[in-house]
Amino acid sequence: RMDLEDDTTILTTLKSFNSFISQSEPPRGAILTAPPTLQSQYKRSFELLEAAEKVQSKTRFLQLDQEKKQMELSHKKARLELEKAASDSARDLEQGRNQELYARIKRLEESEAQAMERLKEQQETQRSLRKALDSLNKSLEEKEDKLSTANQTLSSLQDEIRDLKLKLQSQDSTISTQGLEKEELQEKLLLQQRKYQDVSQLCQSLQAAQSTCSEHVLKIKELERRLVLQEQDMSIVKMVKSEAAKVPELEKELKRLREDNAFLRENRENCSLLKEEAEGLRRKLERAEKTREELLSLELDKEKLAAKLEAWENLGQSSGLNIKSPEDLFREVMQIQQREITLKEQNYMLNSRVRSMERSQSELQSEACQQRACTAEEQRRREAQDSLVRRLQKRLLLLTKERDGMRGILESYDSELGATEYSPQLNRRVKEAEDLLQKTQSHNTEMEAQLTKAQEECGFLRLQLHTVSICVCRGLRFRQKIEDLEAERQRLEQLNGELEMRLEKHTLQGDFDPAKTRLLHFKMNPTAVAKQQRQQEVDSLQEEVTRLRELVRVVQESGAQDESSVLGLSLSLPPSKEVLELRKQKESSELKNQRLKEVFQKKIQEFRTVCYVLTGYQIDITTANQYRLTSVYAEHMDDSLLFKKGSSGSMQLMETEFSKTLGEMVSLHLHHQKSIPAFLSAVTLDLFSKQTVV
Amino acid sequence: VVKMTSTLKGITLKGSAELVAEFFSFGINSILYQRGIYPPETFGRVTHYDMSLQLTTDPKLKNYLTDVVSQLKEWLFECTVQRLVLVITCLETNDVLERWQFDIECDKSAKESSAPREKSIKTIQDEIRSVIRQITATVTFLPLLETPCAFDLLVYTDKDLVVPEKWEESGPQIITQSEEVRLRSFTTSIHKVNSMVAYKRSDSM
């Protein structure tokens, strides 16, 4: 046991041990001098037991005492550590606060810069206003005044900064007082150390004091925030007040500007009306110019056509066709037609002649055939006659021979007998023979004559054949000619058809033969009337245009000189009832719009505050489709989340300084769970827990 | 009219001229209504040829038409008219947009012999009705008249005719680059009327 305890405890245990020994000696002696009786023995044992118990309790007490001392020591240590930590945290806090305050100062400076920028913008707008309204030179001075007031506000802001610094100092002093309190508490602690029994109570009280201290710190924070808010409110109020002071003046100015505006608007309307009219007139003029150009082109065309016509006429003169006009063409066509008719007639005649020729040819051919047959027969006959002649000559030869023989015989007879008894008889017979000879001779001559006749006939027939063949040749030539004529006729017919078609088309399009037809229409026909009306309209419009142009010119001139004359001139153009009505309508609608805007603004403000209170986020629209969310529990004013609305309506978180610190939550809620509300709630909870627990 | 047709079997020159003039009156009114040359509210509905037709109520137009048609009737009776043309002109550009042409073939032999021809008024009116129906149907293919237009009536007559008062000679007002469509024709056996319409080709506008 002794080796377990450290030095200080050894001392105490030795003391206690001694005391223990001194205390335990009598019972031990009692045990040694044991009573005889069981009762007494029992009692003694009991007492001994009690004594042991007492010793035990004493030791326990001692133990507890030691423990307590230990506890006290540890407590002391803890105390020291705690004090150290408290002082450290206080310092840290102070530093943080200082930084915060510095940041706030910076922010204020930034806001000052922003205010400066705004101021510049305002100046610019003022300048634009000055340009828009020439007569607003005074506003510049007012703007300068504004600038000075802004400078004043700047100085006031600097004052505020100074105030804040003072407050910081005061807070430092409070911190020092708190340090004093802590010292007191430490003194108390010392007292508590001295007063052992009160230690625990004191501890509790210290804890309570600590908790109250933290509460105080929180309260201080809250108060500070409130103070800041109040200060902001104060500055806003100041601004509002200064602005409110300007209100009547501005209202006056507004009224004047409104009047000016109304007047200018009127002027502008007049101007636009005039411009429109001028535009219309210009258009009309353009159209007129165009028509003039068309006229020129038409004249050119006309010249061209005249040249063409001349060319035609020249052509007509050169070609000798004498084509000068459609009438000539028509006449030409007619001539062609007549020529064609005559050609047709010729054709028909030729055709008929050809046909008759053909017929005669066939007749001649048949005749030739007949003749040929005839000649063939004649030839045959001649041949037969030739053979007959040959036979007859043979016979004649035979007969002459016979006669010669007979004569010989007769001579022999004569020579023998002499011409006595038989001579008459013989003479008779000779005579008979001579007769016969004469007969045959005559027959022969006849035959010869017949032959020559046949030959003559044959020659004639041959001649006839020749003539017939010539005729056939001529017929063929005629046919050729007829065919040529037929082709020409067809060509002419085609041409005629074409010309007729063209003529038909012309008649379809409304052309007519001026030689036969006269074209009439009613003098006062609707087209003429309409055209006349149109012309009148154009004339009147043109007149109006010149008048209006003059007016515009006058207005522009006088507008440059002074305002009053413009007023007079514009008054000379009284606005129509419609215009007045429309103006009234426009005013009422503008008023309505204004009211709606006011109500809307009020409502939207209400909605925004409700949103801020309920969700804990202030939502601002920085640029189109970008929304900035600032939490109620944000540690810094700059801590905000930026969302961008995508083309499909989905929201995307943009990277900001603050969102960079929320990587875990972004990955969990946005990437994994894909829920923006969950992410926002998580951020809120996180910030809340950071703000409330120290 | 119905009684007349039941009793009269033939047709004379005078009757023919009247019928044709009546046809022109209704035909012109129909064209003016169908082509929207005059606003439709200036037309009134009448029943003729067993069909419902539109007749103008505009007094100026009415006067003009009666003047022209009565003169035309005279010429028809004299058989000196060759053609009637309704010209539709664009007022902005002075272009001729449409030409409704009615060629009239007169049988001049009817002037000598006054014997009525064998053709009932009923059949003639049936023919006229189909012509007017066709005029109404042409709206489906004729290009829309988008600009304000006016019309004129041209009459082609024989050369030897004396020009009456209030009338004057005119040009043929031919359409450049036109499309022609032949319509039905009808005949009273004395006057034959061939109708056709020529219109400006839309791509050239």
Side-chain angles (χ1 to χ4, degrees), chain A residues 362-375:
Chain A
S362 64
E363 271 170 27
L364 281 169
Q365 264 174 342
S366 64
E367 210 176 313
C369 278
Q370 266 182 355
Q371 289 291 346
R372 227 171 266 154
C374 238
T375 43

Side-chain angles (χ1 to χ4, degrees), chain A residues 508 510 517-518 520-521 527, chain B residues 82 151-152 155-157 161 196:
Chain A
L508 269 180
T517 312
R518 177 172 277 173
L520 298 176
H521 73 151
T527 307
Chain B
Q82 297 171 357
F151 83 103
D152 192 8
V155 184
Y156 290 57
T157 61
L161 189 98
M196 58 149 289

Side-chain angles (χ1 to χ4, degrees), chain A residues 299-336:
Chain A
E299 266 171 20
L300 274 172
D301 281 0
K302 200 193 88 185
E303 272 169 30
K304 257 187 239 167
L305 283 168
K308 222 185 257 179
L309 195 74
E310 219 169 293
W312 268 101
E313 276 169 10
N314 286 339
L315 193 79
Q317 280 169 357
S318 64
S319 65
L321 279 168
N322 197 21
I323 294 166
K324 275 182 191 166
S325 61
E327 296 163 43
D328 289 337
L329 191 74
F330 196 75
R331 210 190 307 135
E332 204 71 20
V333 168
M334 288 294 281
Q335 275 174 4
I336 286 166

